[in-house]
Amino acid sequence: MNQPLQIDPEFASKIPPLTKEEYQLLEENILQDGVVLNPLIVWNGCIVDGHNRFHIIQAHPEIKYTVFEKEFPDRYAAIAWICCNQLGRRNLTPQQKKYLIGQRYEAEKLTTTFNGNRFTLADESRRSQNGNTYKTERTCDRIARESNVSRNTVLRAEDFAQGVDAADEVEPGIKEEILSGGIKTTDVAVAAIAKASPKERPALVKQLRQPKSPKSLPEKGPKSIEAIEPLDPPLITKPDSEPKIQSEPIEEHAEQPELATRPMTEIQKILAISTGMETAEKLADESTMFYELEDAVSTMIRRCLRCFESYPGLLKKKPYRCKVQKIFNEAIQFIQKIEQEEPT
């Protein structure tokens, strides 16, 4: 390299930081090997992958390393690649994953062309300048397919990412707290910060740190929808990816555990979102909550089908089928209650 390597602040901001322990382990491995095994990926002299390795190299100039120059049509394509590359990490929090998906979507809409990354072939990713077409597929639909999430998840992820950046402008450093899960809040509350006027943003950022209302759900269940659900069930169920169905026979008259000990239902998740919004009155509009409701319903149907496909006896065996019907009655009663209510 003829020119010294540089760190672009915008590029670096897209990369989830390592924990102190992870950084120390990386440094120990590099020092033990005496060389950085993976090359630093750069574009126009700016690092797009390998920021932590570069910091270690600067602290230990004797360490040998290599550089690979990657071509991008513009910086937005480089940002999209960075996000895709980071999404391949296994130690991401749900918030970090949402942020990266949102940043990727925003970048791909801005770039004049997108030639793929290590997860997508170049000819599959090429699209038109306006960022909305890939043959007949919109950018958000393609990203949803490649990330194995729903289209609405991608759209909400963009709002979430913009809210995170807006919050960090008001209070530098809060971004890491949100993405690490240190601040427990809803996606809607974060997204609302970017939608608010500059004068309103400090108050909304302050509300992120406020304790939850006493009316919040018990601590045993999650307080908001944090995980990104896959769009389609895998052909082979991954270990620990879903709660396992007990294989022991169920007695028809056996006492069942209280609802508080069960995993949170989708209805409870919706109520949790609403409860979390009590501390900030301007956090959402109707269109935002439509996305939440659509994903809640599609998630419920998808997970039920996954259970029935993996365990067909749930519907074919009478004791199990009765139990399934009892579980579904909770959702049926909830829907009937909504249908009976008169709109104002």
Side-chain angles (χ1 to χ4, degrees):
M1 292 288 296
N2 294 326
Q3 55 181 337
L5 298 182
Q6 300 178 357
I7 291 182
D8 184 294
E10 186 177 16
F11 292 171
S13 69
K14 312 305 178 189
I15 299 177
L18 298 178
T19 64
K20 182 179 180 180
E21 292 76 16
E22 290 171 336
Y23 187 89
Q24 289 178 344
L25 180 60
L26 176 63
E27 185 175 27
E28 290 173 3
N29 290 337
I30 290 176
L31 292 176
Q32 184 176 1
D33 295 334
V35 62
V36 177
L37 300 178
N38 296 322
L40 305 180
I41 311 298
V42 301
W43 174 66
N44 289 345
C46 294
I47 298 175
V48 295
D49 183 56
H51 291 79
N52 293 300
R53 283 168 280 157
F54 181 65
H55 287 308
I56 294 172
I57 291 169
Q58 287 182 311
H60 304 277
E62 73 279 5
I63 297 294
K64 298 179 181 180
Y65 66 96
T66 57
V67 173
F68 177 78
E69 182 78 28
K70 191 168 180 63
E71 295 295 330
F72 296 106
D74 53 46
R75 69 182 293 105
Y76 298 115
I79 290 174
W81 184 90
I82 290 172
C83 293
C84 290
N85 190 50
Q86 290 300 310
L87 282 166
R89 290 170 53 175
R90 295 184 179 182
N91 58 340
L92 295 176
T93 66
Q95 296 89 341
Q96 288 171 338
K97 186 174 181 180
K98 282 180 285 192
Y99 179 79
L100 289 170
I101 290 175
Q103 289 286 296
R104 176 191 174 185
Y105 178 44
E106 185 175 14
E108 287 198 31
K109 290 191 298 180
L110 294 172
T111 183
T112 56
T113 183
F114 188 66
N115 293 317
N117 52 73
R118 81 182 205 186
F119 301 107
T120 56
L121 298 177
D123 59 346
E124 291 178 344
S125 297
R126 199 175 302 277
R127 59 185 176 81
S128 66
Q129 183 171 347
N130 63 12
N132 289 330
T133 58
Y134 157 64
K135 295 182 179 178
T136 59
E137 191 175 33
R138 296 175 63 86
T139 301
C140 57
D141 293 325
R142 176 173 51 77
I143 292 177
R145 172 174 54 79
E146 294 175 356
S147 303
N148 197 30
V149 298
S150 70
R151 176 180 183 272
N152 288 336
T153 295
V154 175
L155 297 176
R156 291 202 316 274
E158 181 185 29
D159 292 337
F160 174 78
Q162 292 174 348
V164 170
D165 288 341
D168 203 58
E169 290 179 3
V170 173
E171 184 180 328
I174 198 172
K175 171 182 175 180
E176 185 173 346
E177 293 185 68
I178 296 173
L179 298 186
S180 66
I183 292 180
K184 304 297 183 182
T185 185
T186 64
D187 297 354
V188 175
V190 175
I193 298 172
K195 296 178 181 180
S197 67
K199 293 182 179 180
E200 295 174 319
R201 290 178 181 178
L204 292 178
V205 171
K206 184 178 180 180
Q207 287 174 344
L208 296 181
R209 298 186 182 279
Q210 291 183 354
K212 299 296 181 183
S213 167
K215 297 180 181 179
S216 298
L217 292 175
E219 292 292 336
K220 294 182 179 180
K223 296 181 180 179
S224 63
I225 298 178
E226 298 291 354
I228 298 182
E229 293 285 348
L231 179 60
D232 295 309
L235 295 178
I236 300 177
T237 304
K238 297 181 180 179
D240 301 327
S241 61
E242 294 292 342
K244 295 183 179 179
I245 307 297
Q246 297 292 333
S247 57
E248 293 81 9
I250 298 179
E251 298 181 8
E252 292 189 51
H253 302 290
E255 290 294 329
Q256 299 300 326
E258 295 296 327
L259 287 177
T261 64
R262 299 177 183 173
M264 180 175 279
T265 66
E266 297 303 323
I267 294 173
Q268 289 172 319
K269 289 180 180 179
I270 295 173
L271 295 176
I273 293 173
S274 301
T275 302
M277 289 168 54
E278 291 178 358
T279 56
E281 297 178 355
K282 301 180 184 177
L283 295 185
D285 54 25
E286 286 79 1
S287 62
T288 303
M289 297 313 298
F290 277 137
Y291 292 149
E292 298 287 354
L293 292 172
E294 288 173 358
D295 264 13
V297 173
S298 63
T299 297
M300 183 193 74
I301 295 174
R302 181 171 62 251
R303 294 183 64 175
C304 289
L305 290 176
R306 182 181 301 175
C307 290
F308 296 150
E309 290 173 359
S310 301
Y311 302 90
L314 288 172
L315 296 179
K316 294 181 179 179
K317 298 179 181 179
K318 185 176 180 180
Y320 294 119
R321 188 178 183 91
C322 292
K323 176 61 179 174
V324 170
Q325 291 174 336
K326 183 178 180 181
I327 294 173
F328 281 175
N329 279 338
E330 181 183 355
I332 293 172
Q333 292 172 6
F334 178 77
I335 294 172
Q336 290 175 342
K337 180 179 178 181
I338 293 178
E339 291 177 340
Q340 293 170 1
E341 292 178 353
E342 293 291 336
T344 56

